[in-house]
Amino acid sequence: MTGLNNTPIWPTFSFIGIPGLEAAHMWISIPFCLLYLIALGGNVLLLLLVRAEQNLHEPQFYFLAMLALTDLGLSLSTMPSVLAIFWFDIHDVGLDACLTQMFFIHTLSSVESGVLVAMAFDRLVAICAPLNYTRILTHHAVVCLSGAAFIRGATLLAPLPFFLRTFPFCGTNILSHSYCYYPDMLNLACGDVTFSSVYGLVCVVCTFAVDVIFIVVSYMKILGTVMKLGIQDRNWKSLQTCACHLCTVLVFYLPLISLAVLHRYTQETSPLLYTTMSNAYLLMTPLLNPLVYSLKSKQIQAALRKRFGVQRVVAGE
């Protein structure tokens, strides 16, 4: 798009906030701000614990630190636009800022999915091949798995902003979320978006779909190994070490799948439902992951008691 003297004119986009509750945005900002603070504080605390505690220098907790770092990135990517809407009633964002936010959100989501796969592999080796655990999951292997998750996400999703820059936007450019989301922006583009839509679907299949399949297969193998060895306390305790990871997988994938289904297969969905699912997708995961591991992981509980004198939190009793 060009204006006078062939000067490019880039569109602006508008966030909708929470439809029907615009007058209460200032009050709604209070719980949102608290949730962001809890998410940021919890993930920073996990990073500090893994770094400081020698008994947490294991592959399982290195992956947990990578997960916390990714959650921090997701929170910081969405927090400016969300709080700008609620605090200052700022709804407009330029194309470049929107594309930058979109790239980080999608890339970090892909990285988090890859880290969850690495954590599933860690549990698979720990339960199915415990004698070879230290030989297979070396520090080098942890770095390679984490790096592969990042490179895959950044490589696959880097073209998305460039695709969107080639399209004119000739409508009202009102986004369905409180942040920039690729399918949402693609729906506003004019022209033939078939290739961009198909490429987005390919990215989903190559990342999230493949990751879900690997995680499901890993846990089928884990369950088969535990059942083959017999129902003993030792085996069930080994299986219970997967509880934190399974909770994290559900917290991450359920809102993600629900949001993707809403965008692709529903046309007349309530804007309030869109907003609720989008906020749950990117806010609940960074918020709940530290809480899940603090409640279910005995090593994390021990580190908390050692560092801060926190009383033991007993889960499941």
Side-chain angles (χ1 to χ4, degrees):
M1 289 175 288
T2 59
L4 296 176
N5 300 324
N6 293 323
T7 302
I9 300 176
W10 301 114
T12 58
F13 298 88
S14 297
F15 302 118
I16 61 171
I18 299 181
L21 298 175
E22 289 82 2
H25 274 180
M26 181 58 68
W27 294 105
I28 295 173
S29 70
I30 297 175
F32 266 89
C33 187
L34 290 175
L35 292 176
Y36 269 117
L37 289 175
I38 294 172
L40 293 174
N43 285 290
V44 168
L45 180 59
L46 279 180
L47 286 171
L48 293 176
L49 288 177
V50 173
R51 180 183 179 185
E53 292 297 320
Q54 190 66 34
N55 64 334
L56 298 182
H57 291 179
E58 300 176 2
Q60 177 184 1
F61 297 105
Y62 289 145
F63 290 132
L64 176 59
M66 183 70 178
L67 194 70
L69 191 62
T70 307
D71 284 337
L72 277 176
L74 281 173
S75 296
L76 293 174
S77 296
T78 59
M79 186 170 61
S81 59
V82 172
L83 295 184
I85 294 171
F86 293 137
W87 281 356
F88 307 109
D89 198 32
I90 298 175
H91 293 262
D92 295 335
V93 62
L95 178 63
D96 288 337
C98 198
L99 292 178
T100 301
Q101 185 188 51
M102 181 208 71
F103 171 75
F104 278 106
I105 288 173
H106 285 284
T107 299
L108 290 172
S109 297
S110 175
V111 171
E112 180 148 349
S113 181
V115 173
L116 290 175
V117 170
M119 296 174 80
F121 179 69
D122 170 82
R123 293 298 84 203
L124 176 67
V125 175
I127 293 174
C128 299
L131 298 179
N132 295 321
Y133 181 79
T134 55
R135 183 177 63 83
I136 296 174
L137 281 169
T138 61
H139 291 297
H140 179 72
V142 171
V143 171
C144 288
L145 289 172
S146 301
F150 176 79
I151 293 172
R152 181 192 66 170
T155 302
L156 281 176
L157 298 168
L160 299 185
F162 297 99
F163 290 159
L164 288 173
R165 286 186 70 91
T166 63
F167 296 116
F169 293 88
C170 46
T172 56
N173 295 341
I174 298 178
L175 299 170
S176 306
H177 309 298
S178 301
Y179 52 84
C180 298
Y181 188 62
Y182 181 71
D184 203 14
M185 298 181 68
L186 200 61
N187 289 337
L188 299 176
C190 302
D192 185 4
V193 298
T194 303
F195 176 80
S196 299
S197 180
V198 170
Y199 184 84
L201 183 60
V202 169
C203 288
V204 171
V205 171
C206 292
T207 55
F208 302 115
V210 172
D211 292 348
V212 168
I213 291 173
F214 186 89
I215 291 172
V216 170
V217 171
S218 296
Y219 275 101
M220 290 175 61
K221 178 66 174 176
I222 288 171
L223 186 60
T225 300
V226 172
M227 298 303 294
K228 186 188 300 183
L229 295 175
I231 304 177
Q232 303 172 0
D233 289 341
R234 175 173 55 84
N235 296 332
W236 283 117
K237 287 180 180 178
S238 298
L239 189 60
Q240 288 171 1
T241 62
C242 302
C244 296
H245 180 251
L246 282 174
C247 291
T248 302
V249 168
L250 293 176
V251 166
F252 177 76
Y253 282 110
L254 288 181
L256 173 65
I257 293 172
S258 301
L259 188 62
V261 170
L262 284 177
H263 269 287
R264 288 198 171 271
Y265 301 109
T266 58
Q267 301 298 326
E268 300 297 331
T269 304
S270 166
L272 183 59
L273 181 60
Y274 267 126
T275 303
T276 302
M277 291 306 303
S278 65
N279 288 327
Y281 164 46
L282 285 183
L283 184 57
M284 298 311 293
T285 299
L287 176 69
L288 293 180
N289 283 347
L291 295 178
V292 166
Y293 276 90
S294 297
L295 290 173
K296 300 295 291 184
S297 173
K298 293 181 179 179
Q299 295 97 318
I300 296 294
Q301 291 179 18
L304 286 171
R305 291 197 305 273
K306 177 181 176 182
R307 289 285 167 177
F308 304 104
V310 179
Q311 294 295 320
R312 181 179 180 182
V313 180
V314 180
E317 295 185 4

